[in-house]
Amino acid sequence: EYSGSTGVAVVMDPISRVLHVGNVGDSRAVLGQYSPDGRSPRWNARALTTDLKPDLPDERERIELSGGTVMPMEGCEGEDAGPARVWDSPAREKPGLAVSRSLGDGAGRALGVIAEPVYTTYQLQPMDRFMLIASDGLWDSLGNEQAVKITAKYLERNLPHVSVKALTEAVRREEGGQLVDDTTVVLVIF
């Protein structure tokens, strides 16, 4: 009843080089784009997904029309703490989901949390060199640009296996030496 997951699925048409992306929750797909210039190569990040959080206007509206409440957690002294979450009432007792769409999370269904993914397409360009698909354990600690730069550093040395480990270690450093959330990373090289 209270278990669920987020997810991103990406299917590439190899002939047209079009990516078809489906997203539920706050897992994310991000492209690493290479832009050479006169002095040094430059790497940019391009998000292929949007984190589906309960405080997005359309998501909030659906949740509230379904009887859910969107509020942050309550801190030790009664103050709002952390990101917006989905609750069954202003008392903020359950379920406390930090996403507006998920797979599972049966307790959130009656409150407007849905499993329907947001679909997008993207035509790959010559500058698109790789894609990171990762859970929020990565993205809550590292920004898109930071994750792309770390990955590119090792891809430029032809060490793709090290790039994923380097991302996980960067999260560990940001989180005080431990991984506090699931940190799953998939690297796709074009």
Side-chain angles (χ1 to χ4, degrees):
E1 175 179 22
Y2 293 104
S3 292
S5 183
T6 65
V8 174
V10 181
V11 177
M12 183 175 112
D13 180 331
I15 296 169
S16 65
R17 295 186 46 84
V18 171
L19 299 177
H20 301 272
V21 183
N23 177 40
V24 174
D26 58 0
S27 292
R28 197 179 300 167
V30 174
L31 288 173
Q33 299 179 317
Y34 177 79
S35 301
D37 67 21
R39 292 183 217 135
S40 64
R42 180 184 165 139
W43 289 92
N44 297 304
R46 179 184 178 114
L48 296 174
T49 58
T50 299
D51 292 354
L52 298 166
K53 300 289 196 173
D55 54 353
L56 293 173
D58 289 346
E59 302 294 297
R60 177 188 289 269
E61 180 180 20
R62 183 188 66 251
I63 291 163
E64 290 177 346
L65 288 172
S66 299
T69 300
V70 177
M71 300 173 71
M73 290 180 67
E74 188 172 345
C76 297
E77 298 179 19
E79 78 283 4
D80 288 344
R85 294 176 178 273
V86 179
W87 305 95
D88 63 351
S89 75
R92 299 184 253 201
E93 293 177 6
K94 61 184 179 187
L97 293 172
V99 293
S100 57
R101 297 178 188 228
S102 70
L103 304 168
D105 288 312
R109 293 290 166 255
L111 304 173
V113 176
I114 61 175
E116 181 180 328
V118 171
Y119 291 105
T120 58
T121 59
Y122 177 79
Q123 175 71 56
L124 284 171
Q125 304 297 315
M127 66 186 157
D128 300 324
R129 300 298 171 86
F130 64 88
M131 176 174 53
L132 294 169
I133 304 171
S135 65
D136 67 324
L138 177 72
W139 306 117
D140 287 349
S141 297
L142 302 179
N144 295 352
E145 295 289 339
Q146 186 180 7
V148 163
K149 284 182 173 48
I150 291 169
T151 304
K153 175 181 173 182
Y154 293 98
L155 289 182
E156 288 172 344
R157 298 178 192 166
N158 201 27
L159 298 168
H161 58 286
V162 176
S163 66
V164 173
K165 183 173 173 99
L167 289 170
T168 304
E169 290 306 313
V171 169
R172 190 181 308 276
R173 282 190 304 278
E174 289 290 322
E175 297 297 332
Q178 57 187 336
L179 295 177
V180 296
D181 198 357
D182 170 61
T183 306
T184 302
V185 181
V186 175
L187 170 63
V188 180
I189 300 171
F190 302 115

